[in-house]
Amino acid sequence: MGIPDPQATQTAPVLRSPRPAAPLPPPATAQAPTVRSPAPSTQPVVPPQAGTEKPTERKGSGSGFIVSAGYVVTNEHVISGCRKLTVRRGEGRHEARLARARASMDLALLEVPALKATKAPGIRTNALLGEDVTVAGHPLSGLLSADIIVTSGQVNALSGLRDDVRLLQISAPIQPGNSGGPLVDTSGNIVGVVVSKLDAARLQKMIGDVPQNVNFAIKPEFLREFLGTADVTYQTGQLGRRLENFKIAQVARTFTVQVECF
């Protein structure tokens, strides 16, 4: 028995960002998938009366990584609607300022002066089909480890759903909170930005089977273009000596951060 065509029952298969997200805008060269997930609250904020202020509560969190001295990249949907942003790296928590965002790429650049002395990784020019990759980030914050969590997999395709040219398909598992985190190659370079996953539960209803580990990352080409328009200096990385998995995790820990939205 053949697999039913999901396009016969729905206009597009469904993606889900690893944390509540705004829809991924359509690319110029391919029909866009539908991204399902509620956006963070953007209701107007009424200033409290004197003496009635309440402690600021965290609305959510995602992941990010240092790309240059004092600058961090994450997903645009991670910071959308936030009144205040902080970046946590190890035991330190630092104030961050939104420097630039581009919804069409789902990328955001944060300025974090406290991280100016931190070395940034190199950024590859492109990914290779079939290469091994590691996802680093802070998924399920408050439930899992406060340290970075890493998963591994491969680059399964050089385009996303319906040949979305901005994305890579990867098999490394991701969870809520991984959005905006780095996709790291075997030499410790950045080869993508984690962004979304296929909504397996909804697709199961459409085709009668559960897709496994169908996840997506923004290509390094688009990250480099984004940083170029922001006049941010970054290092170019090249695939070189292969590091052992624990070494990759150690390297990723030096530049991976948690992005907190208030």
Side-chain angles (χ1 to χ4, degrees):
M1 179 177 178
I3 297 176
D5 182 359
Q7 296 185 35
T9 56
Q10 185 169 322
T11 56
V14 177
L15 292 178
R16 182 175 62 192
S17 294
R19 75 172 293 276
L24 190 65
T29 56
Q31 185 174 358
T34 300
V35 180
R36 181 188 71 120
S37 52
S41 172
T42 56
Q43 294 181 348
V45 177
V46 180
Q49 297 180 353
T52 64
E53 294 89 347
K54 296 182 179 180
T56 303
E57 294 184 357
R58 195 176 77 174
K59 296 170 59 176
S61 68
S63 299
F65 55 96
I66 298 166
V67 291
S68 186
Y71 287 98
V72 164
V73 158
T74 187
N75 287 146
E76 189 275 338
H77 74 254
V78 169
I79 56 85
S80 177
C82 302
R83 297 176 59 191
K84 176 183 176 182
L85 293 165
T86 61
V87 165
R88 185 178 68 81
R89 177 173 172 264
E91 298 298 322
R93 181 174 276 106
H94 314 288
E95 290 190 2
R97 180 186 70 85
L98 179 62
R100 183 178 291 257
R102 186 182 295 184
S104 62
M105 290 185 177
D106 203 352
L107 290 172
L109 180 69
L110 308 181
E111 185 177 5
V112 191
L115 298 180
K116 282 187 176 180
T118 305
K119 183 179 179 181
I123 302 174
R124 291 261 301 279
T125 56
N126 62 284
L128 301 176
L129 182 64
E131 72 171 289
D132 293 333
V133 290
T134 296
V135 166
H138 293 272
L140 300 175
S141 176
L143 178 63
L144 302 182
S145 172
D147 194 3
I148 69 164
I149 293 174
V150 298
T151 59
S152 59
Q154 290 80 40
V155 174
N156 303 125
L158 298 178
S159 59
L161 206 62
R162 291 190 171 180
D163 286 326
D164 189 331
V165 297
R166 300 165 299 176
L167 303 180
L168 302 169
Q169 181 182 326
I170 60 173
S171 59
I174 61 176
Q175 308 295 338
N178 272 125
S179 280
L183 186 68
V184 186
D185 71 14
T186 55
S187 299
N189 302 301
I190 301 299
V191 73
V193 185
V194 175
V195 67
S196 61
K197 64 190 299 183
L198 198 66
D199 191 328
R202 291 187 64 180
L203 196 58
Q204 180 186 21
K205 296 178 181 179
M206 297 163 59
I207 67 173
D209 195 11
V210 181
Q212 298 180 12
N213 293 335
V214 182
N215 306 313
F216 301 96
I218 300 166
K219 289 180 177 179
E221 299 96 301
F222 290 89
L223 171 59
R224 291 165 64 97
E225 178 186 340
F226 173 71
L227 294 177
T229 61
D231 293 324
V232 170
T233 302
Y234 59 87
Q235 299 293 323
T236 295
Q238 295 183 346
L239 192 60
R241 182 173 64 90
R242 185 184 181 99
L243 302 176
E244 295 186 58
N245 290 345
F246 77 93
K247 285 287 188 182
I248 297 172
Q250 290 176 352
V251 170
R253 184 186 278 125
T254 66
F255 55 72
T256 303
V257 302
Q258 183 179 30
V259 178
E260 298 175 307
C261 171
F262 296 90

